Amino acid sequence: MSIIKDAALAEAGRQKIDWVTAYMPVLGALSADFSREKPFDGLKIALSIHLEAKTARMALALREGGAWVAVTGCNPLSTQDDVAAGLASLGIEVNAVHGVDKETYESHLSATLSGCPHLILDDGGDFTALLHGECAPFAANLLGGTEETTTGVHRLRARAEAGRLRFPMLAVNDASCKHLFDNRYGTGQSTWAALLHTTNVQVTGKVVVVAGYGWCGRGVAMRAAGLGARVVVTEIDPIKAIEAAMDGFSVMTMEEAAPLGDFFITVTGCRDVICARHMEAMKDGAILSNAGHFDVEVSVPDLRALAVDVGPRRRNITGYRMADGRVLNLLAEGRLVNLASGDGHPAEIMDMSFAVQALSLRHMARHGSGLAPGVYDVPPEIDREVASLKLASMGLGIDALTPEQEAYLRQY
């Protein structure tokens, strides 16, 4: 039985699901294949992921493959209650409500795992953590699973290196058809769509400080430049910093950038990227936001400690007034701004990412029982299949090597 906010929202949720379905042809093709092949017949799949319309489309595709599917969120602010109701009305178990506290959120995770799934799809690592702790008995049938995010893969690898990972997981985030497109173009567009919608502030001519130049940071910086901003990148990796500089962006430390920025966007996966010493130097009206998975990159405790007054300024914007009169504006309470304040990544981008997820889960269904606990790369043939399907859906073709060319290349 599902745990949702309001079943009366189902029609609006189904409408959203129908809309994105039209823009996800790769997942549609896989859904048709799954319907014929039934690769998940008799298996239970549990998903912890941002619960919005594209996620719902993927859940329905997995059910087409014969799976019993249960879905929960991976961040309470990104759950869309209408989509949750719509998906539940279509026969998928859903345990998620927007904006709940940490304890309730974790109870929804536990409820979703309580069916003892054979496969899990994790986004950020909360499922994995629970299955190694209080929900360990729910791993009785577990063959393995997939991890969607950079942050989650970091957590997985750390657990594996410490010898504390009890089942095999595919690092979906590291697949080319995930991070090259979802992280760069998806995060880049959705972050700015949310920032523009939430603030209604001009970006052209402003200074945008992007913390982190991984694939997500690249996308955020690229879109900021396209909007006419002057972009500053802060980094801890010298190679990524050089890349940012050669891409035409200013590179400096956060201490140097703090007095200059109008917008600050963190995309690092680390904690305290922006903290008290930076906040003390920021200009009046600076806008702080986080596009990383967890709400630890902008130190909200430091903001609260520095502020003499805290209050709402606009929906999803909290103002922190400093003793000297400056106001620093925090979006989405420091949580994932692109999902808390918008509809997330474009459907066409998530079509590729979720196709990788679906095929990775099929791979784990077939081979998980023979894999030792650990973190595994997504097989390259999955990337090639997804890219080929995407090209076909766009009406694009590519060249093929002639036998003579293949023979020539084999010489080297």
Side-chain angles (χ1 to χ4, degrees):
M1 183 175 179
S2 293
I3 303 170
I4 57 175
K5 183 176 182 178
D6 185 357
L9 299 172
E11 184 176 353
R14 289 192 299 268
Q15 187 176 59
K16 285 185 176 181
I17 297 167
D18 288 343
W19 173 261
V20 301
T21 296
Y23 294 92
M24 302 180 80
V26 177
L27 203 56
L30 292 181
S31 183
D33 288 345
F34 288 174
S35 182
R36 291 190 299 270
E37 299 169 6
K38 300 296 182 185
F40 307 115
D41 197 27
L43 300 181
K44 297 180 179 180
I45 303 178
L47 283 63
S48 170
I49 192 167
H50 300 291
L51 210 172
E52 40 84 37
K54 282 87 71 180
T55 303
R57 177 67 187 95
M58 177 174 58
L60 293 168
L62 295 174
R63 186 177 67 178
E64 283 295 307
W68 172 89
V69 181
V71 184
T72 188
C74 66
N75 181 323
L77 281 187
S78 65
T79 293
Q80 297 184 6
D81 289 321
D82 53 354
V83 173
L87 189 57
S89 75
L90 295 171
I92 301 290
E93 180 181 319
V94 181
N95 303 300
V97 176
H98 177 86
V100 296
D101 59 26
K102 181 179 179 181
E103 291 73 21
T104 306
Y105 164 68
E106 290 185 351
S107 74
H108 293 163
L109 292 170
S110 298
T112 306
L113 290 171
S114 65
C116 297
H118 299 88
L119 299 167
I120 61 167
L121 186 159
D122 211 356
D123 188 317
D126 287 345
F127 260 1
T128 301
L130 285 172
L131 288 169
H132 286 82
E134 63 188 76
C135 292
F138 299 152
N141 299 325
L142 198 61
L143 299 171
T146 63
E147 171 54 55
E148 170 83 358
T149 67
T150 304
T151 301
V153 170
H154 287 332
R155 295 175 79 184
L156 273 181
R157 294 196 190 282
R159 185 180 287 275
E161 289 169 7
R164 295 187 294 108
L165 183 60
R166 298 177 185 168
F167 41 80
M169 293 287 288
L170 286 176
V172 164
N173 179 76
D174 295 349
S176 294
C177 283
K178 200 282 182 182
H179 70 262
L180 290 178
F181 303 97
D182 178 341
N183 294 18
R184 176 168 39 175
Y185 302 117
T187 301
Q189 178 169 324
S190 65
T191 295
W192 279 106
L195 282 166
L196 293 170
H197 174 76
T198 304
T199 66
N200 195 31
V201 170
Q202 177 178 306
V203 179
T204 304
K206 300 288 181 62
V207 175
V208 172
V209 179
V210 179
Y213 204 67
W215 289 109
C216 291
R218 289 176 177 90
V220 171
M222 176 177 64
R223 295 299 183 218
L227 289 166
R230 291 172 287 156
V231 180
V232 174
V233 171
T234 71
E235 248 300 341
I236 62 169
D237 184 327
I239 298 173
K240 292 178 181 177
I242 291 171
E243 184 180 7
M246 291 191 175
D247 284 343
F249 303 125
S250 298
V251 175
M252 58 185 73
T253 66
M254 185 60 76
E255 279 79 5
E256 293 170 324
L260 307 177
D262 298 294
F263 288 87
F264 293 82
I265 306 166
T266 55
V267 209
T268 71
C270 194
R271 62 172 299 153
D272 299 335
V273 177
I274 296 177
C275 56
R277 66 182 183 276
H278 307 125
M279 298 164 185
E280 289 170 342
M282 289 178 180
K283 64 175 70 172
D284 180 35
I287 294 170
L288 284 64
S289 61
N290 168 51
H293 187 84
F294 293 112
D295 59 345
V296 297
E297 302 197 30
V298 178
S299 177
V300 180
D302 281 3
L303 260 180
R304 291 179 182 141
L306 290 171
V308 296
D309 184 51
V310 179
R313 303 208 64 196
R314 184 179 165 102
R315 184 181 178 189
N316 277 318
I317 302 178
T318 303
Y320 292 79
R321 186 175 299 280
M322 305 291 111
D324 59 7
R326 290 176 303 120
V327 176
L328 303 184
N329 300 293
L330 179 66
L331 273 57
E333 301 175 11
R335 302 187 188 185
L336 196 59
V337 67
N338 51 351
L339 283 161
S341 306
D343 284 322
H345 296 0
E348 293 95 332
I349 293 295
M350 297 312 296
D351 188 29
M352 298 177 69
S353 182
F354 286 166
V356 173
Q357 280 282 17
L359 290 172
S360 295
L361 287 167
R362 186 184 69 179
H363 177 83
M364 192 61 77
R366 291 172 174 174
H367 305 290
S369 60
L371 296 175
V375 184
Y376 294 85
D377 292 333
V378 171
E381 59 267 24
I382 287 179
D383 268 327
R384 288 194 293 270
E385 181 175 354
V386 171
S388 297
L389 288 169
K390 188 65 173 179
L391 284 168
S393 75
M394 299 169 70
L396 303 176
I398 59 174
D399 285 327
L401 291 173
T402 66
E404 293 77 15
Q405 288 172 319
E406 290 180 346
Y408 172 79
L409 292 174
R410 281 198 295 268
Q411 299 176 57
Y412 299 97

